[in-house]
Amino acid sequence: MDKRYLRSIRLLSECMQLFEQASARKVRQFGLTHSQFDIIATLGNTPGMTCKELGERTLMTKGTLTGVLDRLEEKRLIQRERGADDRRQLFVRLSNSGEQTFAEVFPQVVENGKQRFTSYTADDYQTLEDALLKLKQHLEQDQR
Amino acid sequence: MDKRYLRSIRLLSECMQLFEQASARKVRQFGLTHSQFDIIATLGNTPGMTCKELGERTLMTKGTLTGVLDRLEEKRLIQRERGADDRRQLFVRLSNSGEQTFAEVFPQVVENGKQRFTSYTADDYQTLEDALLKLKQHLEQDQR
DNA sequence: TATTGTTATACTCTATAACTATA
DNA sequence: TATAGTTATAGAGTATAACAATA
């Protein structure tokens, strides 16, 4: 089973690389890094969230997050507000300009990939989703 | 079709994240970065290759590659040799110690993931492979 | 004492452009 | 002139540990 496992993993990695390569190009055209786009995409369509939650969702450690948020704040794409109830917390949300960027970049990154899927049928999607969902469930199994 | 496309891409990205999270942990236990492991895995089981080819396979630009190779050479994991026919080229290959690291780390990174797939049947693998292969072919379509 | 987030540190990756040496 | 790889530069992400403010 070794070979099959390796082949699947290699395929998964190749697909991801292809997708990221294309989307990274788009993202960079807007002067954003992958991490910065990750934050913006996570904050998009939300009322904002704490740094803690943002870190958990994007898998960045708090120290890293501070730096990325600093750069986004310099670009006036996000705002940080001290929490009203728990004053240790910072609430991070997109600024108006950030919302605008999200509304502009996100669909383009998506569209950029989507163009290639005009020939995908409902069945094709279903098969892909089923296979990936099963894979995900296996990958999620906890390990020491 | 927008929703289905997004759902598939999100699944793909989640799978990749889960896999990379687990393997990154293993890789770091060996004191390697993702890029360094990428080089070692690419050089493993080959007689070596030029920097140019290595850059193409790992998608690193030549400037970046030089730095990563420098660090691997400091760790005595690779060797660089001036090409005999074309003296502009550098031939990069794993050192004995590098081969050993490859033989040790690679299976562990693989095994680390593989454990979770004991319940995958031949059919499961086939379905996953087919779906990913189709996805890959679509992602490979050239775009401006 | 524990938690949230920042700061400081040190390293690595990254792209780009100028450079060296070979072809 | 063109190509293979290095060097220099500047910016960004990363983990970690020490820290301040708040709970």
Side-chain angles (χ1 to χ4, degrees):
Chain A
M1 233 36 171
D2 234 61
K3 260 194 201 155
R4 301 223 68 160
Y5 172 73
L6 277 177
R7 210 188 313 166
S8 291
I9 288 300
R10 182 165 305 124
L11 272 171
L12 177 67
S13 150
E14 284 167 354
C15 284
M16 205 54 216
Q17 210 172 36
L18 284 166
F19 180 73
E20 286 195 335
Q21 220 180 327
S23 72
R25 213 182 313 143
K26 263 292 165 216
V27 165
R28 239 179 298 117
Q29 283 174 13
F30 284 86
L32 296 173
T33 65
H34 183 279
S35 299
Q36 287 167 10
F37 177 70
D38 201 9
I39 300 279
I40 290 189
T42 304
L43 288 175
N45 291 332
T46 77
M49 61 190 76
T50 62
C51 288
K52 183 177 161 60
E53 188 175 351
L54 201 47
E56 281 162 3
R57 293 223 202 170
T58 58
L59 296 180
M60 296 181 203
T61 56
K62 52 189 183 177
T64 302
L65 192 59
T66 297
V68 178
L69 291 178
D70 283 348
R71 280 170 287 264
L72 284 172
E73 199 171 35
E74 269 171 34
K75 293 180 188 168
R76 313 268 176 220
L77 296 177
I78 60 152
Q79 290 168 344
R80 286 188 264 208
E81 271 172 42
R82 193 56 65 178
D85 41 335
D86 184 339
R87 292 193 52 72
R88 288 173 305 182
Q89 297 184 330
L90 273 185
F91 228 73
V92 186
R93 67 173 52 126
L94 291 182
S95 65
N96 288 341
S97 164
E99 296 277 12
Q100 210 173 316
T101 300
F102 173 70
E104 201 174 343
V105 183
F106 193 72
Q108 283 203 38
V109 169
V110 170
E111 188 63 30
N112 188 47
K114 211 184 60 179
Q115 289 170 16
R116 308 178 217 179
F117 287 81
T118 46
S119 69
Y120 253 58
T121 64
D123 266 4
D124 291 335
Y125 277 116
Q126 193 61 53
T127 306
L128 179 62
E129 276 172 33
D130 290 346
L132 286 176
L133 198 59
K134 190 182 177 89
L135 176 64
K136 185 184 163 192
Q137 280 157 0
H138 278 75
L139 287 169
E140 269 170 347
Q141 282 172 48
D142 251 343
Q143 299 198 269
R144 125 227 56 79
Chain B
M1 233 36 169
D2 234 63
K3 260 194 202 155
R4 300 225 71 161
Y5 171 73
L6 278 177
R7 209 188 312 167
S8 291
I9 288 299
R10 183 165 305 124
L11 271 171
L12 177 68
S13 149
E14 285 167 352
C15 285
M16 205 54 217
Q17 211 172 38
L18 284 166
F19 179 73
E20 286 195 335
Q21 220 181 328
S23 71
R25 215 181 312 143
K26 262 290 166 217
V27 165
R28 239 179 299 115
Q29 284 174 12
F30 283 86
L32 297 172
T33 66
H34 183 278
S35 298
Q36 290 167 7
F37 177 71
D38 202 7
I39 300 280
I40 290 188
T42 304
L43 288 176
N45 291 331
T46 77
M49 62 191 75
T50 62
C51 287
K52 185 177 159 57
E53 188 177 350
L54 201 48
E56 281 162 1
R57 294 222 203 168
T58 58
L59 297 179
M60 295 182 203
T61 57
K62 51 188 183 179
T64 301
L65 191 59
T66 297
V68 179
L69 291 179
D70 283 349
R71 266 152 253 144
L72 284 172
E73 200 171 33
E74 269 170 33
K75 293 180 188 169
R76 313 269 177 219
L77 296 177
I78 59 151
Q79 288 168 346
R80 287 188 263 208
E81 272 173 39
R82 191 57 67 180
D85 41 334
D86 185 337
R87 294 192 50 72
R88 288 173 305 183
Q89 296 183 330
L90 273 186
F91 229 73
V92 187
R93 67 171 52 124
L94 291 183
S95 66
N96 287 341
S97 163
E99 296 277 12
Q100 210 174 316
T101 300
F102 173 70
E104 201 176 343
V105 183
F106 193 72
Q108 283 204 36
V109 169
V110 169
E111 188 65 28
N112 187 47
K114 212 185 62 178
Q115 290 171 13
R116 309 179 216 181
F117 286 82
T118 45
S119 68
Y120 253 57
T121 65
D123 266 4
D124 290 337
Y125 276 116
Q126 193 62 51
T127 305
L128 179 61
E129 276 173 34
D130 290 346
L132 286 176
L133 197 59
K134 190 182 177 91
L135 176 64
K136 184 184 163 192
Q137 280 158 0
H138 278 74
L139 287 170
E140 268 170 348
Q141 283 173 47
D142 251 344
Q143 298 199 270
R144 124 221 52 79

